Amino acid sequence: MALPARRLPSVLRVAGKSFEYPALRSCAGIGHRSFTATSKWRLRTKEMDEDMLKSLRVNRGRLMEDLHYTSQWGTGARWGEAPTETGMSRLALSDADKKARDWFVETTQALGCKTTVDAMGNIFAVRPGLRNDLPPTYAGSHLDTQPTGGRYDGVLGVTAGVEMLKVLADNWVETEYPVGVVNWTNEEGARFPISMVSSGVWAGSVPLETAHNLKEVLPGTKTMKEELRRIGYLGSTPASYEAMPMAAHFELHIEQGPLLEMSNKKIGVVKGVQAYKWFTVHIKGRDTHTGTTDLKSRADALLAASKMIVHSHRLATAHSALASTGILNLSPGSTNTVPGDVTFSLDIRSPSDATVTRMKQAILEDFQKIAAGEDVMGSNENCTSGLPLTVTITEDFSSPATLFDTDCITTVSSASHCVLGPNSNNLLMEMTSGAGHDSVYTSKRCPTSMIFVPCREGVSHNPEEFCKEEDCALGADVLLQSVIRFDRVRGERRVSWKQEPYTL
Amino acid sequence: MALPARRLPSVLRVAGKSFEYPALRSCAGIGHRSFTATSKWRLRTKEMDEDMLKSLRVNRGRLMEDLHYTSQWGTGARWGEAPTETGMSRLALSDADKKARDWFVETTQALGCKTTVDAMGNIFAVRPGLRNDLPPTYAGSHLDTQPTGGRYDGVLGVTAGVEMLKVLADNWVETEYPVGVVNWTNEEGARFPISMVSSGVWAGSVPLETAHNLKEVLPGTKTMKEELRRIGYLGSTPASYEAMPMAAHFELHIEQGPLLEMSNKKIGVVKGVQAYKWFTVHIKGRDTHTGTTDLKSRADALLAASKMIVHSHRLATAHSALASTGILNLSPGSTNTVPGDVTFSLDIRSPSDATVTRMKQAILEDFQKIAAGEDVMGSNENCTSGLPLTVTITEDFSSPATLFDTDCITTVSSASHCVLGPNSNNLLMEMTSGAGHDSVYTSKRCPTSMIFVPCREGVSHNPEEFCKEEDCALGADVLLQSVIRFDRVRGERRVSWKQEPYTL
C-alpha cells in the first residue's frame, strides 16, 4: 500500500536507527500528547505497507536495560560474576512488587497511557488509538516471580510490552484501536497459592472473594486483599472481562522448556496450552522396624510409592504424555523404620484431553493393583510380595487443553516470518505450552495467543534462568508486530472467536 | 541334688503360690538384710535341684503392675479403651525418664540392692551373693522409649529384672555371686541420636566425650551431659566395663518382628544380632518444570531414587537380606517442578557380614548405573531415557554381625525348656535379632545373650506395641531362670569367652 503524502516514510523506515526530526524526538515518550487531537506526523497502522511495518523494531539495548533495571526490586541469588547474573525473588504484593508496579505505572503513563487498577491489582495501561470505543489489543504478562526465580519469567513479557509502547511513541504510530499492556497479579501462585489467580478472576473463573481471602503460604498469614490494600493496589474497577474488555491478548514468554534451544529455533508460535491434572496419592501401609521385619511381612508405603512413580513414568512413555512427582512426604521418617505412610503429588499432562483422561483411568486402576501387591508392567519382577496396602487418589486440579485463537496464532506466525526474515521457516516452530499462563484465562474471554523464546537449557523457576539478549529482542519484535498486525486486521474483518464473540 | 537339711524345700517348691512363714514374708523386699551375714532360711542356687529351680517363677500380676505403673511417666497416645491401652513417650533424660529412674533406684534399693550411677547415667542395681569379689550376673535393658513408642520395648526387660529381684527376695534365694539389673541410658537414640550410646561408652566403643556432647535432636539444643546433670543422673563412677564389670548380661525383649507370632512360638533364643550398614544416597539431577520439560530432557532425581529403592528391594530379595529406606527428602518440593535433588537413607541387613558386603558392592555399582541411565534388572524397561544424574553414596554406620556367647545361649535354651515344659521344642525357636540392642555392646565385653517374646503383629516403635501378659511372664521366667542357672554354673566351670576372657 502506497503511503499517504502526509506521512514521512523516509524517516520512519529507519525507525530506531536515525531520526531526522529532533523536534519530534524530544516529544517522544513524554506522554502528554493527545493522539486523537491531530493526525499530523502520524503513521496509521492500517496504512503501513509490509516494508514499513517490518521496519518497526524494538530497541534491544533499551529493552534489556528496562528488564535489568526492574530487577533491582527483589534481587535474588547470585549465580555469576556479571551485575545482571542474579535471580529474582519478587513475591506478589511484596514491597519489591509494589516498586516494580510503581515503575510500570509511571513509565506507561509517561508514554501517554491511561492506567487502570482493578480489584485484583491487575494494572491495565492503555495507549489510545484512532477509535477508542472498542477494547484495546493487549500485550500482557506478570512482574511477580518465584521465590527462587529468574529475571525473564513474566518480566520479559511486561517489559517487552513497555518497549512496544516506546517504539510506537518513538515512531508516532497511531493504532486503529487502543493498544495496552497488562500486568497480572500473582501469576506464579508462589506467595498466594493459586496460580494465575487474578487473570482467573478477570475471566470469571475464580470468584473474587476466593481470591481476596487467599492467604499467603506459611509462615505468613496475610490475605491477598490485605496486601493489595497495604501496597496501594486495591483498585476500584471490578476485576472482570466485562469492566476491562480485551480485543486480544498476546503474551511473550520464555519457553521454560528445552525444545526451542534443542532444535535451534528462535520463536515458538504457541497454539495452545496442554491439559493437565494434579493428584494427591496417599498410601497407607504400616510402620515397622527395618531390622526385625522380613520383606514379606512389610506394608512398605515408600516401596509402593516408588513402584507407582516408576509406573507413572512408564504410562507417560506409553501415552506420549508427561507424569511427574514433585512432592513426596513420608512418616514417621526414621532410618530404621519402614514408612507406613507416604503422600505424593502426581502431575499428568498432554496436549490432548482424551490422553489425560486415559492416563487418569490407567493410574486409578494400576495404583490400586500395585498397592494390593499385583504385578503391573513388571512392577513386582524379582521382588518379594509383601502385605497389601491401601491407596487413595484425590484429583486436586484439572485444567483442560486450551486451544488459542486461530487468528491470533496466524498473526503471531506472520509476525514471526516478518521478524525472522528469509530463513524464518527454519527458525520458528509451532508448539503447545507445557505450563499454564495468564493467557489460559484470557483465552476464555478474548482471542489470545503466545510467543515463546528459547531459554538456556530449558531452565526456569531457578535463579540461573537465562534468555539471550538477541532472543529477548526477537521475541519482543514478534510481540510488537503481532499487536500492530492484529490492530490492522481487526477493523477489516470479523476475527473469529469461539466462546463469547466480541465486537472487535 | 538332695536339698540340705537346713533348707525348707516344702515351702520353696510352691514359691509364688503359698507362703507358710509370715515372718519371712514380712521381711521380703524390705532390702536391709545382709545376705552374707547368716545362711539360715536361705536357698543357695548351687544346691537347688531341677525341680526346685523350676518352681521359681515370676509373679505375673506383679510384673504387669510394675510395667504399667511405670507407664504413668511419659504416657503416650491412646489406642484402646482400657487404662493400659496407651503408648509411651518417655525420651531419655526427660523429667518423665527421671521419675522412672527414681522408681528403679528406690525399688531395687528396697530389695536390698546397692545402686551405682555411672558417668552416662547407666544405673547398676546389684544384689549381693555369697561371693562378692567377682562381678555380678546382670539382667538389663532400658527405660527410655521412642517419642511414639509402646510400653514393652526396653521397659519389659527392666521390669522383668526387678521382678527377678523380687522373686529372689520372696524365696530367700542366695546366689553364689552377685546378681544385678542394669538400666542403660538412651538406648533408643530417639532424643540423643546415637542408639545404644551409653552401653557403647561402657564397652569402650563410643568415646565418653562424644556421648556427653551429643546434642538432642532439633529443635532442642541440650547435650546429654547437661541433661544428665539436670536430672541428677551424672554419676561419678566411670562409664566403663572396667569400673563396672559384668560376668554376663541377659536381656529380655519383645521381638519387634512377626516371626515368633507367625510360627506360634513363645520364646526366641537369640543367637546374635544381624549385621547392618546405613547409607545416605544423594542424587543430583536438575530442577525443571513438569509441564515444559519432555521426559528425555529431564534429570529427574525422584524417578532415579524410585528406581534405586525398588532395585535395593530386588537385591535384598536376591540375597535373602533386608533393604529399607526410611527417610527421603527432596528439593525444591513443588507440584510442578521435577525435583533435581533427592537424598534418602538406605539400611541393609543380613545375619551374614559377607552378604552385607556383597549387597554394598552391588548397590555401589548398580546405583551408579541407574543414575547414568543404564538398565539394571529391568529398571529402565518401558521407560524413556532421560539425562544422566550423579549419585553419591556415603556409608554412615556399620555394625558387623554379633554372635552371642554360646554358654549364655545354652543357658537361655535350658531355661526356656524348663519354663515351657514338655512341649518346649515346639514353643521356642533360635533366632537372630534384626534390631540392635544394648546387648550388642555388652557382648563385646562379657558373655551375653537375649530372650525374645512375641509381640502383636510384630509391631514396635508404635503406641500399639503389645505383648500378652502370658508372654511377658514367660519371658520374665526365662530371664530369671537364665540368671540363676548362669550363677550356678559360672563357679563350677570356666565359661568360655571369646574376646577378653573374664574371671568368672
Side-chain angles (χ1 to χ4, degrees):
Chain A
M1 182 195 287
L3 206 70
R6 61 188 164 93
R7 309 288 163 210
L8 292 167
S10 61
V11 174
L12 291 164
R13 275 209 184 94
V14 289
K17 289 166 194 160
S18 70
F19 283 88
E20 306 293 324
Y21 303 93
L24 295 190
R25 285 223 12 104
S26 70
C27 291
I30 62 168
H32 298 292
R33 293 175 294 138
S34 166
F35 285 84
T36 48
T38 164
S39 67
K40 218 183 168 198
W41 306 119
R42 300 224 175 105
L43 181 63
R44 280 184 61 180
T45 50
K46 238 185 198 167
E47 291 164 356
M48 291 181 189
D49 63 9
E50 189 60 29
D51 281 348
M52 167 66 70
L53 199 55
K54 203 169 175 172
S55 72
L56 291 174
R57 302 297 283 257
V58 303
N59 180 331
R60 171 168 147 183
R62 185 171 61 184
L63 168 66
M64 298 317 295
E65 207 178 294
D66 273 354
L67 184 136
H68 293 309
Y69 180 75
T70 61
S71 297
Q72 71 183 286
W73 303 302
T75 308
R78 178 162 292 285
W79 56 268
E81 297 293 316
T84 61
E85 290 177 351
T86 72
M88 287 300 296
S89 183
R90 188 161 64 214
L91 292 175
L93 311 185
S94 61
D95 291 346
D97 187 32
K98 175 190 160 49
K99 286 179 182 153
R101 289 165 168 268
D102 290 348
W103 167 86
F104 178 72
V105 169
E106 286 158 21
T107 306
T108 55
Q109 284 181 351
L111 287 163
C113 293
K114 174 170 182 261
T115 56
T116 305
V117 178
D118 74 12
M120 285 307 297
N122 298 318
I123 314 173
F124 303 81
V126 175
R127 182 182 191 266
L130 278 169
R131 288 184 57 188
N132 292 308
D133 56 328
L134 288 175
T137 302
Y138 280 96
S141 201
H142 58 96
L143 286 170
D144 71 314
T145 77
Q146 288 280 327
T148 57
R151 291 182 167 223
Y152 302 86
D153 176 355
V155 187
L156 175 61
V158 175
T159 51
V162 171
E163 174 59 23
M164 169 188 82
L165 297 174
K166 290 182 180 177
V167 173
L168 297 179
D170 287 349
N171 296 287
W172 295 81
V173 177
E174 186 153 54
T175 52
E176 294 298 307
Y177 303 89
V179 161
V181 183
V182 56
N183 171 44
W184 300 103
T185 299
N186 191 55
E187 190 270 351
E188 294 291 358
R191 182 175 181 196
F192 301 100
I194 299 182
S195 300
M196 312 169 281
V197 65
S198 305
S199 50
V201 174
W202 176 89
S205 300
V206 177
L208 178 70
E209 204 173 345
T210 303
H212 269 178
N213 293 330
L214 193 58
K215 273 205 174 135
E216 66 183 321
V217 293
L218 293 173
T221 55
K222 303 268 176 49
T223 65
M224 279 200 88
K225 191 173 186 183
E226 286 165 2
E227 284 295 274
L228 281 165
R229 186 178 288 126
R230 184 184 69 83
I231 68 164
Y233 278 89
L234 180 62
S236 54
T237 302
S240 151
Y241 65 95
E242 287 164 324
M244 293 302 290
M246 297 187 166
H249 184 263
F250 291 93
E251 184 170 4
L252 167 64
H253 209 281
I254 54 171
E255 181 200 343
Q256 304 185 280
L259 301 180
L260 288 170
E261 187 184 66
M262 275 166 50
S263 52
N264 285 313
K265 308 288 187 191
K266 289 297 186 186
I267 294 290
V269 177
V270 186
K271 300 185 73 175
V273 179
Q274 68 185 343
Y276 62 100
K277 284 184 189 289
W278 286 359
F279 300 93
T280 298
V281 181
H282 178 213
I283 307 170
K284 189 80 193 147
R286 199 172 63 178
D287 303 349
T288 44
H289 195 294
T290 58
T292 58
T293 321
D294 59 327
L295 299 182
K296 67 180 185 301
S297 303
R298 298 181 176 198
D300 185 338
L302 185 59
L303 178 64
S306 298
K307 289 178 180 178
M308 290 175 192
I309 290 167
V310 172
H311 185 65
S312 71
H313 175 85
R314 288 175 174 157
L315 284 175
T317 301
H319 288 84
S320 300
L322 299 176
S324 321
T325 294
I327 295 176
L328 185 147
N329 290 302
L330 57 79
S331 168
S334 167
T335 301
N336 59 352
T337 304
V338 175
D341 205 295
V342 170
T343 304
F344 64 90
S345 65
L346 183 67
D347 170 323
I348 58 176
R349 307 204 187 209
S350 163
S352 147
D353 285 323
T355 302
V356 168
T357 303
R358 276 198 302 275
M359 282 276 287
K360 175 183 166 177
Q361 281 310 323
I363 281 162
L364 291 180
E365 285 167 29
D366 294 350
F367 280 17
Q368 292 295 347
K369 288 182 189 167
I370 290 171
E374 293 176 45
D375 186 87
V376 189
M377 289 172 80
S379 61
N380 281 357
E381 218 162 296
N382 301 310
C383 290
T384 303
S385 291
L387 302 177
L389 302 95
T390 58
V391 61
T392 48
I393 304 173
T394 314
E395 185 174 321
D396 299 317
F397 192 70
S398 179
S399 179
T402 299
L403 295 177
F404 286 150
D405 179 72
T406 49
D407 284 320
C408 285
I409 296 168
T410 306
T411 305
V412 169
S413 187
S414 311
S416 301
H417 283 295
C418 162
V419 168
L420 297 171
N423 194 27
S424 62
N425 278 330
N426 294 323
L427 295 175
L428 65 80
M429 68 190 282
E430 292 191 335
M431 56 200 307
T432 300
S433 172
H437 295 283
D438 289 310
S439 291
V440 169
Y441 281 122
T442 64
S443 74
K444 295 181 188 297
R445 299 298 175 184
C446 74
T448 295
S449 70
M450 293 185 73
I451 302 144
F452 276 177
V453 284
C455 57
R456 187 172 55 194
E457 293 178 23
V459 171
S460 181
H461 288 195
N462 188 305
E464 295 192 38
E465 177 182 277
F466 181 77
C467 178
K468 288 181 198 163
E469 291 197 2
E470 173 198 346
D471 296 338
C472 289
L474 284 174
D477 276 333
V478 175
L479 180 71
L480 165 70
Q481 291 284 328
S482 298
V483 170
I484 297 174
R485 281 164 198 268
F486 192 87
D487 180 71
R488 275 155 61 96
V489 300
R490 64 180 275 209
E492 286 173 8
R493 61 186 172 86
R494 177 98 178 69
V495 172
S496 71
W497 181 230
K498 57 189 186 306
Q499 277 178 277
E500 300 207 353
Y502 244 95
T503 306
L504 294 162
Chain B
M1 181 194 288
L3 203 72
R6 63 189 162 93
R7 309 290 160 207
L8 290 167
S10 62
V11 174
L12 291 164
R13 274 206 183 95
V14 289
K17 288 167 193 157
S18 71
F19 283 89
E20 305 293 325
Y21 303 92
L24 295 189
R25 287 236 349 119
S26 69
C27 291
I30 61 167
H32 297 294
R33 292 177 294 136
S34 164
F35 285 84
T36 49
T38 162
S39 64
K40 217 181 167 200
W41 306 118
R42 298 217 179 111
L43 180 61
R44 279 184 61 180
T45 51
K46 239 186 196 167
E47 291 162 358
M48 293 181 186
D49 63 10
E50 190 60 30
D51 281 347
M52 166 68 69
L53 198 56
K54 204 168 175 172
S55 71
L56 291 174
R57 301 297 285 257
V58 301
N59 180 330
R60 173 169 146 184
R62 184 170 62 183
L63 168 67
M64 299 317 295
E65 204 178 296
D66 272 355
L67 185 137
H68 293 310
Y69 180 76
T70 61
S71 297
Q72 70 182 288
W73 303 302
T75 309
R78 176 161 295 283
W79 55 267
E81 297 293 315
T84 61
E85 290 176 350
T86 73
M88 287 299 297
S89 183
R90 187 161 64 214
L91 292 175
L93 311 186
S94 61
D95 291 347
D97 188 31
K98 176 190 159 48
K99 285 180 184 153
R101 287 163 171 269
D102 291 347
W103 167 84
F104 178 72
V105 169
E106 285 158 21
T107 306
T108 55
Q109 284 181 352
L111 288 164
C113 293
K114 177 172 181 257
T115 56
T116 305
V117 178
D118 74 10
M120 285 307 297
N122 298 318
I123 313 173
F124 303 81
V126 176
R127 179 181 193 269
L130 278 170
R131 289 184 56 188
N132 291 307
D133 56 328
L134 288 176
T137 301
Y138 279 96
S141 200
H142 59 95
L143 287 169
D144 72 314
T145 77
Q146 289 280 328
T148 57
R151 293 183 165 221
Y152 301 87
D153 177 355
V155 187
L156 175 61
V158 176
T159 50
V162 171
E163 173 60 21
M164 169 187 81
L165 296 175
K166 291 183 178 177
V167 173
L168 297 179
D170 286 347
N171 294 286
W172 294 82
V173 176
E174 186 153 53
T175 54
E176 294 298 307
Y177 303 89
V179 162
V181 182
V182 55
N183 171 44
W184 300 103
T185 300
N186 192 57
E187 191 270 352
E188 295 289 358
R191 181 174 181 195
F192 301 98
I194 298 182
S195 301
M196 310 169 281
V197 64
S198 305
S199 51
V201 174
W202 176 87
S205 299
V206 177
L208 178 70
E209 205 173 345
T210 304
H212 269 179
N213 294 330
L214 193 59
K215 274 204 174 135
E216 66 184 320
V217 294
L218 293 172
T221 56
K222 304 269 176 50
T223 65
M224 278 201 88
K225 192 176 184 180
E226 286 165 2
E227 285 295 274
L228 281 166
R229 185 178 287 126
R230 184 183 70 80
I231 67 163
Y233 278 88
L234 181 62
S236 53
T237 302
S240 153
Y241 64 95
E242 287 164 325
M244 293 303 290
M246 296 188 167
H249 184 264
F250 290 93
E251 185 169 5
L252 166 65
H253 209 281
I254 53 170
E255 181 198 343
Q256 303 186 283
L259 301 180
L260 287 171
E261 188 183 64
M262 275 166 49
S263 52
N264 284 313
K265 308 287 187 188
K266 288 297 185 185
I267 294 290
V269 177
V270 187
K271 301 186 72 175
V273 179
Q274 68 185 343
Y276 63 100
K277 285 182 189 290
W278 285 1
F279 301 92
T280 299
V281 181
H282 178 214
I283 307 171
K284 189 78 194 150
R286 200 173 61 179
D287 301 350
T288 45
H289 196 292
T290 57
T292 58
T293 320
D294 59 328
L295 299 182
K296 67 180 185 301
S297 302
R298 298 180 176 199
D300 184 337
L302 185 59
L303 178 63
S306 299
K307 289 177 179 179
M308 289 175 193
I309 289 167
V310 172
H311 185 65
S312 71
H313 175 84
R314 288 175 173 159
L315 284 176
T317 301
H319 287 83
S320 300
L322 300 176
S324 322
T325 294
I327 297 175
L328 186 147
N329 291 299
L330 57 79
S331 168
S334 168
T335 301
N336 60 352
T337 304
V338 175
D341 205 296
V342 171
T343 303
F344 65 89
S345 65
L346 183 66
D347 169 324
I348 58 176
R349 309 203 186 208
S350 163
S352 147
D353 285 321
T355 302
V356 168
T357 303
R358 277 198 301 276
M359 284 275 288
K360 176 184 167 176
Q361 281 310 323
I363 281 162
L364 291 179
E365 285 167 30
D366 294 350
F367 280 17
Q368 291 297 345
K369 288 182 190 166
I370 290 171
E374 294 176 45
D375 185 87
V376 188
M377 289 172 78
S379 60
N380 281 358
E381 218 163 296
N382 302 311
C383 291
T384 302
S385 293
L387 302 176
L389 303 94
T390 58
V391 61
T392 48
I393 305 173
T394 313
E395 185 175 320
D396 299 318
F397 191 70
S398 179
S399 178
T402 299
L403 296 177
F404 286 149
D405 180 72
T406 48
D407 283 320
C408 285
I409 296 168
T410 306
T411 303
V412 169
S413 186
S414 310
S416 303
H417 284 294
C418 162
V419 168
L420 297 172
N423 193 27
S424 62
N425 278 330
N426 293 326
L427 296 174
L428 68 81
M429 68 190 282
E430 293 193 336
M431 56 199 308
T432 299
S433 172
H437 295 284
D438 289 310
S439 290
V440 169
Y441 280 124
T442 63
S443 75
K444 294 181 190 298
R445 298 300 176 183
C446 74
T448 294
S449 69
M450 292 185 74
I451 302 144
F452 276 177
V453 284
C455 57
R456 186 172 56 195
E457 293 178 27
V459 170
S460 181
H461 288 196
N462 189 305
E464 296 193 37
E465 179 183 276
F466 182 76
C467 180
K468 289 181 198 162
E469 291 197 4
E470 172 198 346
D471 296 338
C472 289
L474 284 176
D477 276 332
V478 174
L479 179 71
L480 165 70
Q481 292 284 328
S482 297
V483 170
I484 297 175
R485 280 162 199 269
F486 192 85
D487 179 71
R488 278 155 59 95
V489 299
R490 66 181 274 211
E492 285 173 10
R493 61 186 172 85
R494 176 99 179 67
V495 172
S496 72
W497 182 231
K498 57 191 185 303
Q499 277 178 281
E500 299 206 356
Y502 244 95
T503 306
L504 294 163

